[in-house]
Amino acid sequence: RNEGPLMLDRDAYVKKIQAKLDEWNADIDALEARVQTAQADVHLVLNRRLDALRAQRDDVAAKLQALRNASGEAWQDLTAGMELAWESLSEALQSAWSHFR
């Protein structure tokens, strides 16, 4: 395995994304628990939002897997899509939590 600076940067980036993904998974689980106690009229709406969050989370996880498997400079090309998916999921989670504040 190549341990040059580019590979170390990739490894650090992948670890950063994985740590954030783990955090988001915990946030989604916490939201799900809150949704279960929500009133019936908002329960359906919040469940739809949770489904969308899970889909976005799965997209980030798929992009992370692609980054892990990318060779050479290809992984750098994949980071742009990862950054967009990252920001989108982050904003969606913040918006979902706003319903409980």
Side-chain angles (χ1 to χ4, degrees), residues 50-98:
L50 272 172
D51 288 344
L53 286 170
R54 286 186 197 104
Q56 286 180 285
R57 186 243 355 248
D58 292 346
D59 182 48
V60 169
K63 285 179 177 17
L64 178 60
Q65 189 61 38
L67 279 171
R68 282 189 177 122
N69 295 329
S71 61
E73 294 182 19
W75 81 273
Q76 289 180 339
D77 295 334
L78 296 171
T79 60
M82 174 60 85
E83 294 297 322
L84 290 173
W86 169 294
E87 288 181 29
S88 178
L89 180 54
S90 183
E91 289 171 8
L93 275 166
Q94 289 175 7
S95 176
W97 274 113
S98 71

Side-chain angles (χ1 to χ4, degrees), residues 14-25:
V14 166
K15 285 179 184 175
K16 174 183 160 186
I17 299 294
Q18 184 61 59
K20 194 62 178 175
L21 190 58
D22 292 343
E23 183 181 315
W24 285 331
N25 283 329

Side-chain angles (χ1 to χ4, degrees), residues 30-41:
L31 276 168
E32 186 171 19
R34 297 285 296 269
V35 166
Q36 298 307 319
T37 63
Q39 295 176 1
D41 58 334

